[in-house]
Amino acid sequence: MRGRPAPQRTIVVDGKPLPEVLDEAMVHAVVHGFYDEIRRDGLLGPIFNGHIAPDDWPAHLARMCDFWSATLLRTDRYEGRPLPPHLAMPELQETHFRRWLSLFRATVERLCPPEVADLFLDRALRIAHSFRLAIAFHRGEASIAIAPISRDMLSKETPSPGGKG
């Protein structure tokens, strides 16, 4: 049976239509640009490089592209559970999450139009808060005082290669 082609589905994120400029190429640029900064960062680089072997970086980047594609473009490419690897890192602290978010903010603001940067950052802030709560619970720490990190709390510094800010 033939019929009309299915209408193109409008993706809605947080009650707003997804900007058409956000596509797989932009997700790829953000993920690769962000992790380039992470790997060179004085605070986060040693953690990421200590947990991800050099030969494993291409697979990790592909997985992160799948994650962000599923998160924002609503694709079904990502299969996995992102929290467990983070629970296994006893060195993760509040300063690491703030730095991660600051680098992420700088990356999306550099590479994306403002409305797309906002989508990425809003989602990253939620994910970070969820991870911080789960890590505290996993460690047997009180989570009642863990407040969300807001964009106003993040550094607007431009990342510097090999530096901490």
Side-chain angles (χ1 to χ4, degrees), residues 18-30 65 68-69 72-73 77 116 120:
L18 192 71
E20 288 185 28
V21 67
L22 178 53
D23 59 10
E24 294 289 352
M26 189 170 289
V27 167
H28 183 274
V30 166
C65 285
W68 283 103
S69 175
L72 293 179
L73 298 176
R77 290 185 8 213
V116 174
F120 268 110

Side-chain angles (χ1 to χ4, degrees), residues 87-119:
L87 294 176
M89 296 180 192
E91 67 272 33
L92 284 185
Q93 300 296 325
E94 180 76 10
T95 55
H96 300 109
F97 280 99
R98 288 179 186 268
R99 183 66 182 150
W100 186 95
L101 287 165
S102 292
L103 288 174
F104 194 79
R105 178 185 187 171
T107 301
V108 297
E109 287 180 350
R110 177 172 47 86
L111 297 175
C112 303
E115 68 274 11
V116 174
D118 286 345
L119 279 174

Side-chain angles (χ1 to χ4, degrees), residues 34-93:
F34 173 63
Y35 282 100
D36 284 349
E37 295 297 338
I38 287 284
R39 293 172 77 181
R40 289 190 303 255
D41 187 70
L43 179 64
L44 297 177
I47 293 172
F48 278 83
N49 292 319
H51 286 276
I52 302 170
D55 292 345
D56 293 338
W57 272 101
H60 181 72
L61 293 171
R63 189 170 180 88
M64 293 300 92
C65 285
D66 290 346
F67 173 82
W68 283 103
S69 175
T71 299
L72 293 179
L73 298 176
R74 303 295 195 246
T75 64
D76 60 358
R77 290 185 8 213
Y78 181 77
E79 291 183 23
R81 297 172 41 220
L83 180 61
H86 297 84
L87 294 176
M89 296 180 192
E91 67 272 33
L92 284 185
Q93 300 296 325

Side-chain angles (χ1 to χ4, degrees), residues 116-139:
V116 174
D118 286 345
L119 279 174
F120 268 110
L121 186 58
D122 287 344
R123 193 56 47 142
L125 289 165
R126 290 182 200 174
I127 292 166
H129 185 61
S130 175
F131 277 30
R132 290 167 57 233
L133 290 170
I135 288 169
F137 180 79
H138 180 76
R139 293 175 180 170

